Amino acid sequence: MERFDKEPEQGGRMCWFTALVLAVQILGLSAVIIVAVWMGHFRGGFAWQSDPAKEFNFHPVFMVIGMIFLYSDGKCILAYRVFRNMKKLYIKILHGMIHLGALIFSAVGLKAVFDSHNLAKNPIPNMYSLHSWMGIITVVLFGLQWLSGLTSFLFPGLSMGLKKQYMPHHVFWGIAILTMAGATALMGITEKALFMMKTFPENGSKIPVLDYSHKPPEGILMNCLGIVIVTLIALVIYIVTRPEYKREPSPDEEHIELVN
């Protein structure tokens, strides 16, 4: 009788879980679309090294794709909590590949911003703002987190005892890095808004000036992007930290909670 009582409860819990995962996907895609519209429509579009000012526009787009959208998905939303019946080894590989994709997008996004500074007619200094410091720290930590996960849980892998000891640290840093990525994105949005309120005649910039205080459409879009990112990360952390949403290991799997 007790088993039958638990089944409706579990079914309702999984329905709520499915709705949360769907919300995460919608928010993640919305963040990507908003930043692409912002850079493409309001900031003049995209180019590579032939136009450093437009090359910069790849930076926010690729960083949002990598460190916000893909990282959120890779943080066990798709890997360890959605694909519950997939073999554990395949889940680990999927988890690692999503994070690798996030790392690649982030690396290209960093190249875009450094190129846009170094290749400008009058080069712009690098690494002077809090946003840039936090960005580099976050990406480096993310890379180290990925390498540590690869060597600990895939190849060559730690012993079961060491995995159990290391796992809580891996979980903590996964959440911490995602939070840092969101904070860095908000810093970047604010920094860009402040820069666009000025003109840069010494650099020959043709970037349009933003009258942010008068709530123009571009300013509202930027604010919406920030709200979407904050909401997305809050939902991801909620799902990741709720024990009832964790994947139950099958009898033939190792008895350790591999939730990154």
Side-chain angles (χ1 to χ4, degrees), residues 125-160:
N126 292 308
M127 300 301 300
Y128 63 88
S129 68
L130 179 59
H131 168 69
S132 62
W133 289 17
M134 284 292 297
I136 290 295
I137 291 171
T138 302
V139 173
V140 168
L141 287 176
F142 176 46
L144 294 174
Q145 172 86 343
W146 185 82
L147 285 175
S148 68
L150 181 68
T151 56
S152 299
F153 302 117
L154 271 176
F155 181 83
L158 299 176
S159 66
M160 188 62 63

Side-chain angles (χ1 to χ4, degrees), residues 141-154 157-174 177 256-260:
L141 287 176
F142 176 46
L144 294 174
Q145 172 86 343
W146 185 82
L147 285 175
S148 68
L150 181 68
T151 56
S152 299
F153 302 117
L154 271 176
L158 299 176
S159 66
M160 188 62 63
L162 290 177
K163 284 181 181 179
K164 289 180 179 179
Q165 291 180 25
Y166 173 64
M167 197 62 229
H169 302 284
H170 195 64
V171 172
F172 166 79
W173 282 108
I177 292 168
I256 179 174
E257 217 177 8
L258 295 182
V259 179
N260 300 352

Side-chain angles (χ1 to χ4, degrees), residues 79-142:
Y80 287 110
R81 285 172 165 76
V82 174
F83 299 118
R84 294 171 178 269
N85 299 318
M86 187 182 290
K87 196 172 181 179
K88 177 64 71 67
L89 176 62
Y90 300 153
I91 294 177
K92 292 182 190 178
I93 294 172
L94 174 62
H95 179 75
M97 291 302 294
I98 293 174
H99 277 176
L100 178 61
L103 198 57
I104 291 171
F105 271 104
S106 301
V108 178
L110 289 177
K111 175 175 172 54
V113 70
F114 280 113
D115 278 355
S116 69
H117 287 185
N118 298 332
L119 300 178
K121 185 176 181 180
N122 294 316
I124 303 169
N126 292 308
M127 300 301 300
Y128 63 88
S129 68
L130 179 59
H131 168 69
S132 62
W133 289 17
M134 284 292 297
I136 290 295
I137 291 171
T138 302
V139 173
V140 168
L141 287 176
F142 176 46

